[in-house]
């Protein structure tokens, strides 16, 4: 795929076929694509259609299935004028898992069409080159590991750092931590805030009062502090089972789990 | 634009199926609730054998509205139904999984827990 495309994928317990996710944040010449939420646990009887209207001349409508390919005349129309769009990627293009789609519109088909007919008519300049992305990732990784170490100092149990960037676009790392009492949650939270503020100049949003599930949102890194029952109840590790775990420089396995 | 008497679907597996809004939480007597607002609701329909039962009064966060959500960059998102996620007094979702696409505005409104359970974030 194009190197300058953002990817957004659903976290899920089952890995899909070779390409799992395909969401492209650019304006392309595709006019419709399937967007259905096929969650194995979903009990919604109807598909939800989110209709996104952008100020571009062709509106992107998310229907059930792609019934026809865009006509060559439409695709080769070079006379379109584009209104001034603020410098951010505007459109959404997503295709779901191919085995769920009854009309056989597969990822491979979209790839082929994209390579043959797709033209990047507008891409906003907010995508950084891959080297800068890797630098940002490394920075966030060091931040995440530092926070994990602080949690370890306060005797938090079962610290996991997950790299969720390929699954989720809105953050890079998740840190999941178990604390055994509310004062401990308070302690972990305040230590993390202090370290983040002093060393990395980041202020978190999220829970200020200790909660059975306390969340600290540092932008790139999201910290989840659970009580043991809550951790088992919500089971975030299963939901993000496809994320790569990050090795931590200390032993974070707790001897027993509730 | 959710107001009292509005029926909402439930977008999680907490056990409720349908809610009716009875009050909007917020300062200044708001007339309508939008995505990201907390409402007080009564459960009108529930899945059997779950912790939540019919005619229980609970709080919920609105995650989908038929009324369009407008963003500063010009994107407009309009869903096909009104839906909410049941939360408790501390703000933790009562269910373990959330269904459907969730707009990212919930993250700015401190509902990152719901966003982290979402299968897709628009």
């Amino acid at each position: 795929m194009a190197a300058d495309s953002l990817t957004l994928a659903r976290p899920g317990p089952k890995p899909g076929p070779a390409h799992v996710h395909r969401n492209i944040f650019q304006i392309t010449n595709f006019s419709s694509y399937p967007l259905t939420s096929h969650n194995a646990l979903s009990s919604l009887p109807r598909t939800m259609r989110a209709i996104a209207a952008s100020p571009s001349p062709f509106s992107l409508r998310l229907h059930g299935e792609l019934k026809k390919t865009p006509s060559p005349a439409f695709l080769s129309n070079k006379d379109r004028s584009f209104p001034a769009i603020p410098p951010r990627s505007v459109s959404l293009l997503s295709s779901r898992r191919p085995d769920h789609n009854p009309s056989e519109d597969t990822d491979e088909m979209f790839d082929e069409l994209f390579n043959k007919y797709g033209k990047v008519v507008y891409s906003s300049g907010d995508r950084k080159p891959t080297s800068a992305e890797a630098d940002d990732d490394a920075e966030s990784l060091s931040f995440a590991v530092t926070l994990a170490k602080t949690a370890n100092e306060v005797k938090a149990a079962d610290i996991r750092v997950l790299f969720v960037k390929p699954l989720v676009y809105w953050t890079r790392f998740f840190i999941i931590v178990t604390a055994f009492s509310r004062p401990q949650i308070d302690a972990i939270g305040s230590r993390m805030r202090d370290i983040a503020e002093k060393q990395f100049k980041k202020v978190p949003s999220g829970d200020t009062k200790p909660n059975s599930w306390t969340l600290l949102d540092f932008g790139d890194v999201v910290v989840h502090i659970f009580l043991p029952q809550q951790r088992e109840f919500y089971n975030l590790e299963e939901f993000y089972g496809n994320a790569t775990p990050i090795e931590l420089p200390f032993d974070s396995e707790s001897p027993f789990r509730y | 634009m959710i107001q009292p008497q509005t029926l909402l679907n439930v977008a999680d597996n907490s056990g409720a199926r349908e809610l009716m809004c009875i009050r909007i939480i917020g300062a200044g007597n708001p007339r309508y609730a939008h995505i990201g607002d907390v409402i007080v609701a009564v459960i009108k329909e529930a899945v059997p054998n779950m912790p939540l039962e019919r005619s229980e009064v609970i709080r919920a966060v609105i995650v989908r509205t038929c009324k369009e959500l407008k963003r500063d960059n010009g994107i407009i998102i309009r869903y096909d139904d009104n839906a909410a996620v049941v939360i408790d007094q501390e703000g933790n979702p009562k269910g373990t999984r959330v269904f459907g696409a969730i707009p990212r505005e919930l993250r700015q409104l401190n509902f990152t827990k719901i966003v982290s359970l979402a299968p897709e974030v628009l």
Side-chain angles (χ1 to χ4, degrees):
Chain A
M1 289 307 291
D4 55 347
S5 60
L6 272 170
T7 52
L8 162 103
R10 242 181 334 135
K14 254 181 35 171
H19 0 251
V20 174
H21 50 263
R22 193 79 55 212
N23 289 2
I24 303 167
F25 278 76
Q26 287 173 356
I27 299 180
T28 66
N29 281 339
F30 285 122
S31 61
S32 61
Y33 46 89
L35 174 70
T36 51
S37 178
H38 287 286
N39 192 313
L41 301 169
S42 171
S43 53
L44 289 175
R46 55 185 177 279
T47 52
M48 179 220 57
R49 294 177 296 169
I51 302 172
S54 63
S56 62
F58 39 84
S59 69
L60 305 167
R61 318 209 51 228
L62 316 182
H63 292 297
E65 283 83 33
L66 175 67
K67 287 297 178 205
K68 56 180 184 350
T69 63
S71 68
F74 172 70
L75 288 170
S76 62
N77 189 339
K78 291 184 178 30
D79 302 274
R80 291 181 176 273
S81 62
F82 296 97
I85 299 172
R88 271 194 62 185
S89 301
V90 179
S91 69
L92 306 167
L93 175 78
S94 77
S95 60
R96 295 287 107 196
R97 305 216 171 138
D99 38 67
H100 287 288
N101 201 323
S103 78
E104 296 174 15
D105 292 322
T106 57
D107 274 343
E108 289 85 21
M109 192 205 86
F110 284 125
D111 277 345
E112 261 181 84
L113 280 176
F114 191 83
N115 292 331
K116 270 202 282 183
Y117 300 116
K119 281 182 253 192
V120 177
V121 294
Y122 177 83
S123 67
S124 65
D126 65 352
R127 280 291 293 174
K128 298 184 191 168
T130 34
S131 55
E133 282 277 344
D135 286 341
D136 285 341
D137 282 353
E139 211 180 296
S140 307
L141 174 66
S142 68
F143 182 39
V145 173
T146 318
L147 289 180
K149 278 194 211 148
T150 5
N152 197 31
E153 281 161 24
V154 197
K155 296 191 213 149
D158 211 2
I159 304 171
R160 300 266 170 89
V161 178
L162 300 173
F163 180 56
V164 294
K165 194 168 164 212
L167 301 174
V168 145
Y169 73 88
W170 46 276
T171 188
R172 289 205 172 101
F173 290 95
F174 271 10
I175 303 178
I176 308 179
V177 154
T178 305
F180 295 100
S181 64
R182 281 179 196 248
Q184 195 180 11
I185 297 181
D186 215 359
I188 300 177
S190 50
R191 281 236 186 160
M192 288 194 173
R193 271 175 233 266
D194 291 339
I195 295 263
E197 188 147 359
K198 289 202 185 83
Q199 287 186 11
F200 298 91
K201 316 261 185 316
K202 288 196 192 184
V203 180
S205 68
D207 292 325
T208 37
K209 292 189 298 184
N211 212 334
S212 49
W213 177 4
T214 307
L215 192 140
L216 296 169
D217 186 359
F218 288 98
D220 289 346
V221 167
V222 176
V223 182
H224 304 269
I225 310 175
F226 287 105
L227 287 178
Q229 317 92 291
Q230 254 60 19
R231 185 158 182 166
E232 203 172 312
F233 180 65
Y234 289 110
N235 211 349
L236 271 187
E237 286 101 330
E238 190 216 335
F239 195 56
Y240 289 99
N242 282 345
T244 48
I246 305 286
E247 293 283 326
L248 291 168
F250 48 82
D251 178 29
S252 66
E253 290 297 321
S254 70
F256 54 91
R257 284 194 62 181
Y258 291 87
Chain B
M1 280 169 65
I2 310 295
Q3 59 182 347
Q5 299 292 314
T6 305
L7 293 172
L8 299 120
N9 294 333
V10 174
D12 61 9
N13 60 356
S14 55
R17 270 283 158 89
E18 201 168 59
L19 305 173
M20 184 196 294
C21 171
I22 51 183
R23 191 82 175 140
I24 303 167
I25 304 291
N29 195 14
R31 301 273 182 282
Y32 305 109
H34 302 277
I35 291 180
D37 292 338
V38 178
I39 59 167
V40 181
V42 63
I43 299 177
K44 285 298 200 183
E45 197 187 312
V47 171
N49 302 325
M50 292 287 265
L52 290 181
E53 286 175 350
R54 195 179 174 279
S55 71
E56 225 176 282
V57 175
I58 43 94
R59 291 197 171 202
V61 178
I62 296 173
V63 297
R64 297 199 288 269
T65 48
C66 293
K67 180 67 182 164
E68 308 86 37
L69 169 75
K70 294 167 80 161
R71 291 196 179 145
D72 294 337
N73 55 5
I75 288 184
I76 300 177
I77 297 179
R78 184 170 66 228
Y79 294 95
D80 271 355
D81 67 337
N82 300 309
V85 166
V86 178
I87 60 173
D88 63 7
Q89 285 291 91
E90 297 173 327
N92 296 335
K94 280 236 173 113
T96 56
R97 297 288 181 260
V98 166
F99 307 127
I102 302 292
R104 66 183 81 140
E105 275 74 6
L106 289 178
R107 191 183 182 191
Q108 273 86 49
L109 297 164
N110 280 333
F111 290 110
T112 318
K113 292 171 189 172
I114 297 176
V115 175
S116 59
L117 292 171
E120 180 176 3
V121 182
L122 282 185

